[in-house]
Amino acid sequence: PAQNLKEKLKETEEKLRESLKKIDEIEKHLEVYEKTFHETPYMMHAVNEKGEILMANKREHDMLGYQMGELTGKTIYDVYAKAVHHEAAQGLKKVIETGTHQMTYTTLVKKNGTPLRCD
């Protein structure tokens, strides 16, 4: 029985090493993604199925007058002008159905309430 336990322990240790290696690789990819997301010249945000902003990049925060992180938890209806809410809802529907969304020309609302045409 002790020999079996040693064998199982070795197998478990090997699986753990493999898992840790995969986690390390994923973290490296995540770092590249986050850097690209935040440093792009385009305003970008990621939302859930309800249209709640999960994350927004530095450019969007700066252009709309928010501190980093302040957009998290707001909805697309908080940042898009009322005149384009239908357009925003259609974009969200497309993202949910296809997983992608093309860049759009629209009007967002700054923190101070003024519109910002995003061409």
Side-chain angles (χ1 to χ4, degrees):
Q3 190 63 26
N4 273 345
L5 285 175
K6 283 185 177 182
E7 293 284 328
K8 286 184 180 182
L9 181 59
K10 277 186 171 181
E11 289 174 15
T12 302
E13 286 177 336
E14 184 57 35
K15 286 179 183 177
L16 178 60
R17 274 194 280 282
E18 289 173 14
S19 294
L20 291 173
K21 185 177 177 182
K22 287 179 183 177
I23 289 171
D24 188 48
E25 290 173 12
I26 290 169
E27 285 177 342
K28 287 177 186 173
H29 290 295
L30 180 59
E31 287 173 17
V32 170
Y33 170 78
E34 286 179 339
K35 183 176 181 181
T36 303
F37 179 78
H38 286 292
E39 292 182 8
T40 183
Y42 301 104
M43 291 188 291
M44 294 174 37
H45 54 255
V47 299
N48 64 15
E49 310 83 31
K50 297 176 191 174
E52 297 167 333
I53 297 173
L54 303 173
M55 59 191 249
N57 70 352
K58 183 175 179 346
R59 176 76 171 176
E60 187 160 328
H61 278 86
D62 290 347
M63 294 299 295
L64 297 181
Y66 289 91
Q67 294 294 314
M68 269 310 278
E70 280 189 302
L71 288 170
T72 302
K74 293 195 175 295
T75 70
I76 57 174
Y77 304 109
D78 294 325
V79 296
Y80 282 84
K82 285 183 184 179
V84 297
H85 278 190
H86 177 72
E87 181 182 305
Q90 291 301 319
L92 177 60
K93 182 180 176 185
K94 182 178 180 183
V95 168
I96 291 169
E97 290 174 356
T98 67
T100 63
H101 185 29
Q102 294 191 349
M103 184 172 42
T104 59
Y105 300 104
T106 191
T107 303
L108 298 179
V109 179
K110 292 182 178 185
K111 185 176 182 178
N112 67 13
T114 59
L116 175 67
R117 184 70 187 160
C118 304
D119 292 343

